[in-house]
Amino acid sequence: MKIKGLKAVLEEKNLDFAFFYNLDSSRISPNMAYFSGYDGLGALIIPKNNEAFLIAPKMELERAKRGYIKNAYPMDKKKLFESVKIILAKKRIKAKKVAIDGQNFSLNFYRHLKKELKAKAKDISLECLKLREIKTEREIKIIKKGFNYADKILWKAIKSLKDFNSEAEAAAFLEYESKKLGLGTSFEPIVASGKNASMPHHKPENARLNKGFCVIDFGVKYKGYCTDCTRTIYIGKPSNKEKEIYNFLLNVQKNIISSIKINDNCGKIYEKCAKELGGYSKYFIHGLGHGVGVEIHEMPNLSLGSKDKIMENMVFTVEPGIYVSGKFGIRIEDTVLMERKPIVLTKVSKDLLII
C-alpha cells in the first residue's frame, strides 16, 4: 500500500525510481524506514516499474531482510554507488530521472548522484510526507501500543517526581524506563519546572526542581513510530488563581479536541483555539499541533495559516499552552487519532496533579 502510493507519484512525475539512503549510524532516514521497515545503513531503491530493493552492508543484511522489502543486496566494499549501478544494470532499470528526499539528501551525496548516475534529480519530500499523513491499520496498532508503554512510563515518572533531585534526573528517569523496555524516545524529554516552564523547549537542568507548574513532555519510539504527550503538574501548593488558569486551559483543550471534524481546515482549528483563549492568546506562542508518525513532527500542521485538512486515520497532537515569560508555563498535550470523531490516544490524567 505504501509503495503503491509512491509508485503512483513516480508515474505522475515521470520519474524512473526513488532513491533513499542512510550512511550515518547515528541517525535514521525517515522515508527509507517508512517504505522498507529497515532503519539501518544502506539505500532503498523503489523503481516505477520494478520491485523495490535494499542495498546494505553485509553486517546489516540479515536485519535489512526483516523489513517489508525482501530483495536485499550486499553493498560492494562500502561503495554504494557502484553497487547501485551494478544492480540497476542487471535489472535493466534506467536512471535518467531520479526521485530524492531533499530533506534528507546532502549536497555532497547529490553531487555524487549526478556524477555517478548521470541522472537528473527531483525532490519528492513533500509527496512522501503526504503519503505518511494517513495511517494504515497496521500503523495505528503500532502507535496505540506505543502509547500504552508511554503512558505507563510517564505516569510512573509523575508519581516519582518528589523523589527526583533535579529536572535532569527526572528526564533521565524517563529515558531509562524507556530503555528498560527496549524502546527509544521520540525526542529528548522536557522537564521544565517553575520559571523554566515558560520556555516551551526548555532543556532540563541539573538543579533542584522549582516550585510551581512543571511541564513534562515525553514520548517513546516503538517499532519505528513516535508518541507524544505533555502533562503539567504542580509542585507545592497552587493558589486559586493558578488552579483557575490551569482548568481554563484544560477546558479549552478539551473543547478543541471534541469539536474537530473530518475535512476541518487546520489553520481554522488554530484560530478557534486562539479565540477561546481570549486574553491569554498572546501567551500562546507556538502551533496548536502536528502530525505524529515515523518522525515526531509530520503533517498535518495545526498552525496559523495552515491549509492542511483533517482526514480519517490521521494522527496528530493538540497542545495549547500559556507561557508568561519569566513566571510560569502550562501546556496540555494529547495525541489524537481521527476516526469518525477524534479519539484521544493519551490516557494519563489531565486533572491538575499536585506534588
Side-chain angles (χ1 to χ4, degrees), residues 71-265:
N71 296 320
Y73 303 94
M75 192 185 300
D76 182 25
K77 297 179 181 178
K78 298 184 180 179
K79 295 180 180 178
L80 179 58
F81 278 104
E82 285 300 315
S83 302
V84 170
K85 286 193 289 185
I86 289 169
I87 298 168
L88 288 177
K90 283 182 179 179
K91 292 178 175 288
R92 296 182 180 179
I93 299 169
K94 61 181 181 180
K96 292 183 179 179
K97 296 180 181 178
V98 180
I100 64 170
D101 175 8
Q103 291 186 350
N104 295 279
F105 217 91
S106 73
L107 178 59
N108 188 49
F109 199 84
Y110 173 72
R111 287 170 177 162
H112 278 292
L113 180 135
K114 298 265 286 185
K115 179 183 176 182
E116 299 289 341
L117 299 184
K118 306 290 190 296
K120 292 182 179 179
K122 173 76 174 177
D123 180 20
I124 60 162
S125 54
L126 180 59
E127 286 78 5
C128 289
L129 281 170
K130 287 181 177 178
L131 286 171
R132 284 159 43 190
E133 270 188 310
I134 309 299
K135 271 49 180 183
T136 64
E137 185 178 337
R138 178 185 175 278
E139 289 177 294
I140 290 169
K141 284 182 180 178
I142 290 172
I143 291 168
K144 284 181 175 180
K145 183 69 173 177
F147 275 105
N148 287 341
Y149 286 122
D151 286 346
K152 289 173 184 175
I153 294 168
L154 180 56
W155 184 236
K156 189 174 182 179
I158 290 171
K159 289 194 295 183
S160 303
L161 198 67
K162 62 181 181 297
D163 300 323
F164 300 133
N165 293 316
S166 66
E167 295 174 343
E169 187 177 338
F173 177 86
L174 290 164
E175 293 187 275
Y176 174 68
E177 290 296 316
S178 301
K179 288 179 179 179
K180 271 173 49 175
L181 296 174
L183 307 172
T185 52
S186 302
F187 50 89
E188 291 186 9
I190 295 170
V191 180
S193 61
K195 295 178 181 180
N196 293 336
S198 68
M199 296 176 280
H201 285 169
H202 169 71
K203 290 189 178 295
E205 296 179 348
N206 186 26
R208 283 186 63 185
L209 286 160
N210 299 306
K211 289 187 177 182
F213 289 113
C214 179
V215 174
I216 303 177
D217 192 346
F218 166 71
V220 301
K221 198 158 192 179
Y222 172 67
K223 290 192 175 180
Y225 285 82
C226 299
T227 71
D228 198 0
C229 177
T230 303
R231 291 294 181 259
T232 299
I233 61 177
Y234 199 93
I235 300 173
K237 186 177 180 180
S239 66
N240 289 334
K241 181 65 175 177
E242 286 171 322
K243 291 179 184 177
E244 181 184 310
I245 294 171
Y246 181 89
N247 288 320
F248 169 76
L249 181 65
L250 177 59
N251 286 329
V252 169
Q253 197 248 10
K254 287 180 176 178
N255 289 341
I256 292 300
I257 291 175
S258 64
S259 70
I260 295 174
K261 295 179 176 60
I262 290 173
N263 287 323
D264 277 358
N265 173 276

